Amino acid sequence: MTNLPVRMARWSAGHPWRGIASWFLFVALCLGIGMSVGGHAATTEDYRIGEAGRAEAMAAEGGLQQKPVEHVLVTGTGTAAGAAAKDAAARMKRLPEVESVSAPIRAKDGTALRVDVTLKGSELQGKDHVEPLLAQTADVQKAHPDVKVEETGSPSISKGVGELRDDDLARTEVIALPITLLTLLLVFGSFAVAVVPVVLALTSIAAAIGLSMLASHVFPDAGVGASIILLIGMAVGVDYTLFYLKREREERARSGGRLNARATVEIAAATSGRSVVVSGLAVAVSSATLYLADDVIFSSIATAAILVTLVAVVSSLTVLPAVLAKLGGWAERRAARRGRVQKAPRTGNGRITKAMLRPTGKHPAATLAVAVLAMLALAAPLLNLNLTDMGRDSHPRQIPAMQVYDRLNTAFPELKSMHQIVVKADAGQAGEVTAALRDLAARAGQDPLLAGTSELRTSPDQRIHLLELAVPHHVSTDEARRSLDRVRGEYVPQTVGKLHAETAVSGDIARYADYPEHQKSKLPFIVGALLLVTFAMTVWAFRSVVLGLLGVALNLLSAGAALGLLTLVFQGTWAEGLLDFTSTGSIGSRVPLFLFVILFGLSMDYQVFVISRIREAARRGVPTRQAVLDGVGGSASVVTSAAFVMVTVFASFVFIHIMELKQMGFALAVAVLLDAAVIRIMILPALMLLLGDRCWWPSRSMRPARDDAAGPALQNVG
């Protein structure tokens, strides 16, 4: 592990232009191959989960699967509204993207009409074919200015969500990039050096996007891959480069001109280079536990995080040494021309770090108790955590189709949601199944929780039957959930449940309810695997069981505190104006799992970097107490700078309008901030000070390191 970064750095620093050219060629190849092959988007089948998914598979077997449907809403009365609705229906029928068009349907209060337009293709493909329908709706509005003509539906809403997400992501780049550059400029005092981490992060992102297109043919892309690559790529790309670059500059200045640029690069590779490899592998392996969720969205997140992290590691081990060798060579020549020797950088603590470390060094037990209690207090709101699927109703109303969606549901409340009861039986039982489903519809028609309207369809081979019940409540309401419980727990068992047939219930509400339950069932396995991976990676990196246990406990503490703050902020309404959101009273069901996995991986960055510094000092014979204080203090500026960059990138996602992405960005920003400021500067050193040499158990002593890594570098003393 130590020799690999050194060998790669030695070649790259010895052939800098080849190394730089090879990297950009690699990026171009990744993008070119990815674009030529193209990505593979997840299909409707990939999203099927739980009983709802089983029902959808049965319906699809009989050709009764849910289709993409658009609704043209005509608001107005009299002949003008009727004429506009008929015109819309006639225009839609002529479009090749349209499968069927309903006759105009009038609202019960007579203030509006609607035309239902079913598109060809699968449910997820609707957004790709909806543009001609929207154009026709706009033409109908121009032709009938006396009434209001609008369009909404799953395809147009999905299209609007995608456009808003793309605009938001572009804005996050505008926010994050300048702040990142300014931070790096303050850290290094050189614009040329500050640009290096940003350029490498951006090229790593580009390469990862190309590779993700290839990977999508194995792990279908659920549409979140690009967002995760941008989110994680900027963070780890800048961080890994920062760790490496800071160490190289430190060693170069400390040598006082006795080591040339290639030698300092090799020393940095043997120290920070190793930390980058371990950290990157930790993020990748931690992210891989998301595959255990058996969910296409989490598979996409895992694939994106793994690819961009590994690419960022490769960039910091290959092209970065080449760039540093060139920059170092130029700096040496400038210093020689001016007759100056480079000054050694400050390696001591900054004022803030010194102030935070002072009570830790003097009173580690008290510091530990106060810090842990504070973190537990932040985690307390977790006791009231409410997880729900962030469905269509949670989408921001900045999307025009969502505004029309609200008006459509006001005029036609029976469209808010629905249940689908699917029955699979032998064709000879068709009569019995039909009778039982009609009985179910009659019972449901008397239920105040349901809309009283239903539709029964049967497959051509008479084997699959589908009964659709309208529900006048949004999927997120208690009434909708109670109606699902009643259908599954009473109406189905009392009717079709008595037949020898396979029965399942799907629909908007069932999808909304089943997804969080699926996640809850997978959570223990994933968290267990995550804890095991974190423990194993730490033990492998530092040969210490104690540090492995500490890593697990501290990651749990920071994740719990971040989730507690997330619950406090987003389940309430007090921060709505501050963060520009409308509270759903819940947290997205994917957010906690995403936070746990990604945070456990990213926390290893700081864990590995800080403990590596401590371990270096301890192996040189420095007493553990002093090694802890020196290691934490010496790495504080890098950790603080890296954390600030990460927090900036993650916090920029808080300005995104999509609720789950907003919550993910907030949670990660808070988690990284707490991890860097509280865990790594207060709790970790306090624990290590209290444990002393026991930190390194089962190693009996910290023997000085062999000079096998830095030795080759020292041979290049100039």
Side-chain angles (χ1 to χ4, degrees):
M1 180 56 65
T2 302
N3 290 333
L4 176 63
V6 172
R7 289 199 300 269
M8 297 176 72
R10 183 179 298 128
W11 182 90
S12 185
H15 310 84
W17 290 119
R18 292 184 190 177
I20 294 171
S22 298
W23 170 251
F24 283 100
L25 177 61
F26 169 74
V27 173
L29 284 174
C30 289
L31 271 177
I33 295 174
M35 294 177 68
S36 63
V37 173
H40 174 63
T43 63
T44 303
E45 293 80 4
D46 294 318
Y47 288 90
R48 291 172 182 162
I49 282 175
E51 181 180 340
R54 185 161 53 86
E56 291 162 24
M58 290 162 51
E61 187 179 337
L64 304 177
Q65 66 269 28
Q66 198 164 330
K67 295 278 190 174
V69 177
E70 284 287 286
H71 306 284
V72 179
L73 177 65
V74 180
T75 305
T77 58
T79 57
K86 290 179 181 178
D87 186 15
R91 290 171 181 261
M92 296 298 179
K93 287 179 181 177
R94 293 195 291 266
L95 293 176
E97 294 84 2
V98 171
E99 181 177 289
S100 64
V101 180
S102 74
I105 303 168
R106 186 172 294 277
K108 291 181 180 179
D109 62 5
T111 60
L113 293 100
R114 81 170 197 266
V115 176
D116 298 337
V117 184
T118 303
L119 283 72
K120 296 177 181 177
S122 68
E123 186 180 3
L124 291 180
Q125 292 175 333
K127 63 181 182 295
D128 300 325
H129 307 298
V130 74
E131 191 62 43
L133 281 74
L134 294 170
Q136 290 297 325
T137 299
D139 291 342
V140 173
Q141 177 65 86
K142 292 177 183 178
H144 302 271
D146 296 334
V147 295
K148 190 173 185 63
V149 183
E150 305 169 286
E151 183 179 333
T152 189
S154 294
S156 55
I157 290 174
S158 296
K159 182 176 183 296
V161 168
E163 292 174 348
L164 181 62
R165 182 179 60 240
D166 292 343
D167 291 342
D168 284 345
L169 289 175
R171 188 164 56 251
T172 63
E173 294 177 11
V174 173
I175 295 171
L177 283 178
I179 297 178
T180 300
L181 271 174
L182 180 60
T183 302
L184 295 173
L185 185 60
L186 293 174
V187 171
F188 295 112
S190 166
F191 181 78
V193 176
V195 168
V196 171
V198 176
V199 171
L200 291 190
L202 293 177
T203 52
S204 296
I205 289 170
I209 287 176
L211 292 174
S212 70
M213 293 181 185
L214 290 173
S216 67
H217 292 274
V218 179
F219 303 103
D221 180 22
V224 299
S227 301
I228 298 302
I229 286 174
L230 178 61
L231 180 72
I232 304 300
M234 277 300 296
V236 299
V238 171
D239 271 13
Y240 294 163
T241 308
L242 183 61
F243 290 163
Y244 202 119
L245 203 158
K246 187 78 171 177
R247 186 60 179 260
E248 185 274 340
R249 282 170 61 89
E250 181 181 310
E251 296 295 340
R252 175 158 49 90
R254 182 181 288 128
S255 72
R258 291 182 298 109
L259 296 178
N260 62 22
R262 290 177 58 182
T264 56
V265 166
E266 289 187 30
I267 293 176
T271 52
S272 291
R274 179 183 185 275
S275 298
V276 166
V277 173
V278 174
S279 298
L281 289 176
V283 175
V285 175
S286 297
S287 300
T289 61
L290 285 175
Y291 289 121
L292 298 175
D294 189 25
D295 169 61
V296 66
I297 295 176
F298 279 120
S299 292
S300 292
I301 292 174
T303 302
I306 291 170
L307 287 175
V308 75
T309 300
L310 294 181
V311 170
V313 170
V314 171
S315 74
S316 64
L317 295 182
T318 55
V319 65
L320 181 58
V323 173
L324 294 183
K326 294 303 295 182
L327 291 176
W330 293 336
E332 288 171 358
R333 287 191 289 273
R334 284 198 304 271
R337 285 197 300 268
R338 297 173 183 176
R340 297 177 182 175
V341 176
Q342 297 181 69
K343 295 181 180 179
R346 291 186 305 160
T347 57
N349 308 341
R351 283 180 297 178
I352 297 177
T353 304
K354 185 180 293 185
M356 296 178 70
L357 276 176
R358 188 179 298 115
T360 304
K362 292 182 177 180
H363 309 287
T367 301
L368 177 64
V370 171
V372 170
L373 286 175
M375 295 288 280
L376 291 175
L378 293 177
L382 262 178
L383 297 174
N384 298 317
L385 178 65
N386 177 31
L387 295 180
T388 60
D389 185 23
M390 291 295 172
R392 186 167 53 196
D393 296 339
S394 68
H395 291 325
R397 265 51 187 177
Q398 288 91 337
I399 301 171
M402 284 304 301
Q403 299 172 18
V404 183
Y405 172 78
D406 290 336
R407 289 191 282 272
L408 176 73
N409 288 328
T410 300
F412 299 92
E414 66 273 14
L415 295 180
K416 289 182 178 178
S417 56
M418 52 84 179
H419 299 305
Q420 291 181 326
I421 297 92
V422 184
V423 182
K424 179 180 179 181
D426 293 336
Q429 293 181 270
E432 293 180 76
V433 173
T434 300
L437 286 174
R438 285 175 178 163
D439 181 22
L440 193 158
R443 293 169 186 256
Q446 306 301 316
D447 193 328
L449 292 175
L450 301 172
T453 58
S454 61
E455 179 184 356
L456 177 61
R457 289 179 285 157
T458 302
S459 64
D461 62 4
Q462 301 291 301
R463 295 176 58 251
I464 309 296
H465 307 263
L466 187 149
L467 175 66
E468 188 169 294
L469 303 176
V471 182
H473 306 289
H474 289 299
V475 296
S476 57
T477 61
D478 292 337
E479 292 84 357
R481 184 58 187 263
R482 289 204 306 272
S483 73
L484 175 64
D485 293 339
R486 193 166 294 177
V487 169
R488 282 179 168 174
E490 297 179 23
Y491 300 147
V492 168
Q494 292 170 0
T495 55
V496 291
K498 295 181 179 180
L499 304 176
H500 295 290
E502 185 178 355
T503 306
V505 178
S506 183
D508 304 323
I509 304 168
R511 286 179 174 181
Y512 183 85
D514 289 357
Y515 190 85
E517 291 302 318
H518 174 79
Q519 295 306 318
K520 290 177 184 177
S521 69
K522 298 292 183 179
L523 189 61
F525 300 102
I526 297 173
V527 171
L530 191 59
L531 297 178
L532 182 61
V533 163
T534 302
F535 174 76
M537 290 293 293
T538 306
V539 172
W540 171 67
F542 300 110
R543 305 297 188 268
S544 169
V545 172
V546 173
L547 289 177
L549 294 173
L550 289 183
V552 169
L554 296 184
N555 284 350
L556 282 173
L557 191 60
S558 59
L563 276 175
L565 277 174
L566 178 71
T567 304
L568 180 67
V569 170
F570 283 91
Q571 280 191 192
T573 59
W574 63 273
E576 288 181 330
L578 182 64
L579 298 180
D580 187 25
F581 72 97
T582 300
S583 176
T584 62
S586 63
I587 302 301
S589 59
R590 301 181 188 94
V591 176
L593 188 53
F594 173 81
L595 175 66
F596 264 104
V597 171
I598 300 301
L599 177 62
F600 267 60
L602 295 180
S603 293
M604 286 292 287
D605 286 352
Y606 305 138
Q607 179 94 341
V608 169
F609 190 74
V610 172
I611 295 182
S612 292
R613 284 295 185 98
I614 297 172
R615 190 167 182 261
E616 283 180 42
R619 295 186 72 180
R620 289 196 303 268
V622 176
T624 297
R625 174 182 173 79
Q626 192 59 44
V628 170
L629 296 175
D630 290 347
V632 173
S635 61
S637 64
V638 182
V639 169
T640 302
S641 303
F644 186 78
V645 170
M646 267 200 187
V647 170
T648 299
V649 172
F650 294 148
S652 66
F653 274 63
V654 176
F655 299 99
I656 288 179
H657 292 92
I658 308 303
M659 183 61 77
E660 275 195 312
L661 287 178
K662 181 186 285 285
Q663 291 181 353
M664 287 177 180
F666 176 87
L668 283 175
V670 168
V672 169
L673 184 62
L674 291 173
D675 193 85
V678 181
I679 299 291
R680 305 303 159 195
I681 296 182
M682 299 176 71
I683 296 179
L684 176 64
L687 280 168
M688 295 188 72
L689 287 173
L690 291 171
L691 290 170
D693 291 339
R694 290 186 293 269
C695 291
W696 313 110
W697 187 87
S699 297
R700 294 185 178 182
S701 63
M702 292 298 295
R703 293 182 295 274
R706 294 191 309 272
D707 218 12
D708 55 352
L714 296 174
Q715 296 173 9
N716 294 322
V717 174

